[in-house]
Amino acid sequence: MTPPSPTDATGSDYAGEDATGLRKKAISDPAERATLDPFAAIDETYADPALKAIFEGLRATIADGQSRAWSALNDSERLRALYETGLLRPGPHPEVDQIVELTIDAVGIPNAALNMITDVEQINVGIASRSNDIGDQRTHPLSDSLCVYTVVSGSPLVIDDIADHPILRDHPAAKSGVVGAYIGIPIIDNAGHPVGTLCAWDTQPHHWSSGEVQIMTDLADVIQNVIFDK
């Protein structure tokens, strides 16, 4: 399974309340509701906003539409906030680079990056690795991105072992062996628009402690201050 790219969607499942939508509201039997919408049970089982963003993207792809959450990537105000950071211009970006480098030491994880999410791709604007093997590629399609889910949901995405993840175990990053464990914290502007993700990852499974999640959150706050409170 390849996670859906919102740029492949052409319509909207939320344009109005058609007969199917009204019928969904009227159905109380879980089995019948699941027949009408196979993702209904998933919606009721998982409360994690990042997981729900993944499910919404899958539902929209199957329905040849675009979910409300994923369409937020195209929001003009969000894109304006993203481009106004100035981080999409070729670097270096010393203040951001220093925080990303600090992340791998503060969390004790091999890799960290600051990725910005446009409406069509992920752009790496800062990366650090203990191996110093960071490569030259700085852009990736959204279908190859994990950080996009953090931006779509506006919430952290924490994965201890991607091979055991109910949805992302077949993600390109998992199948390639690049990511075994991942944590992403959204970077949000002062108006509440998620523009990117501070992330860290290991090629091996890793249990993210509450302390590590807090450190990542604090470092994301620092990045937000640097970017938006100039």
Side-chain angles (χ1 to χ4, degrees):
M1 178 206 67
T2 300
S5 168
T7 57
D8 294 335
T10 57
S12 174
D13 289 336
Y14 296 90
E17 289 199 320
D18 56 14
T20 300
L22 293 173
R23 181 167 174 247
K24 283 182 186 178
K25 289 185 176 181
I27 295 173
S28 58
D29 179 68
E32 186 178 356
R33 193 162 62 248
T35 300
L36 180 65
D37 179 1
F39 288 94
I42 292 175
D43 279 341
E44 294 173 359
T45 302
Y46 294 97
D48 187 332
L51 274 179
K52 284 184 174 289
I54 299 170
F55 296 141
E56 282 203 20
L58 290 171
R59 178 192 277 124
T61 298
I62 290 171
D64 194 28
Q66 186 176 28
S67 73
R68 189 180 333 185
W70 281 79
S71 66
L73 286 178
N74 302 317
D75 179 75
S76 61
E77 293 299 321
R78 189 194 80 84
L79 292 173
R80 182 178 295 109
L82 169 61
Y83 285 99
E84 287 180 351
T85 65
L87 293 175
L88 300 189
R89 294 192 292 268
H93 309 287
E95 291 179 309
V96 165
D97 291 339
Q98 290 175 5
I99 299 169
V100 174
E101 290 172 4
L102 173 62
T103 300
I104 61 174
D105 292 327
V107 184
I109 209 72
N111 310 285
L114 175 63
N115 292 318
M116 309 305 274
I117 304 296
T118 74
D119 54 335
V120 296
E121 64 185 352
Q122 170 182 292
I123 301 176
N124 173 256
V125 299
I127 188 168
S129 175
R130 292 190 188 280
S131 67
N132 292 318
D133 182 19
I134 59 176
D136 297 323
Q137 187 173 359
R138 291 293 178 267
T139 63
H140 298 272
L142 294 180
S143 58
D144 289 346
S145 172
L146 288 171
C147 291
V148 66
Y149 298 116
T150 300
V151 170
V152 168
S153 67
S155 301
L157 176 60
V158 181
I159 304 171
D160 289 349
D161 185 353
I162 201 167
D164 286 338
H165 195 277
I167 297 297
L168 295 175
R169 57 181 174 234
D170 291 325
H171 188 278
K175 296 179 76 172
S176 67
V178 171
V179 175
Y182 169 93
I183 182 171
I185 308 294
I187 302 299
I188 301 174
D189 79 347
N190 296 329
H193 302 112
V195 298
T197 302
L198 175 65
C199 67
W201 71 96
D202 197 340
T203 56
Q204 303 299 317
H206 174 85
H207 172 67
W208 302 96
S209 68
S210 58
E212 289 169 332
V213 174
Q214 186 60 58
I215 290 171
M216 289 292 296
T217 301
D218 291 343
L219 290 170
D221 286 343
V222 174
I223 288 178
Q224 288 173 176
N225 291 336
V226 168
I227 296 175
F228 299 116
D229 295 336
K230 295 178 180 178

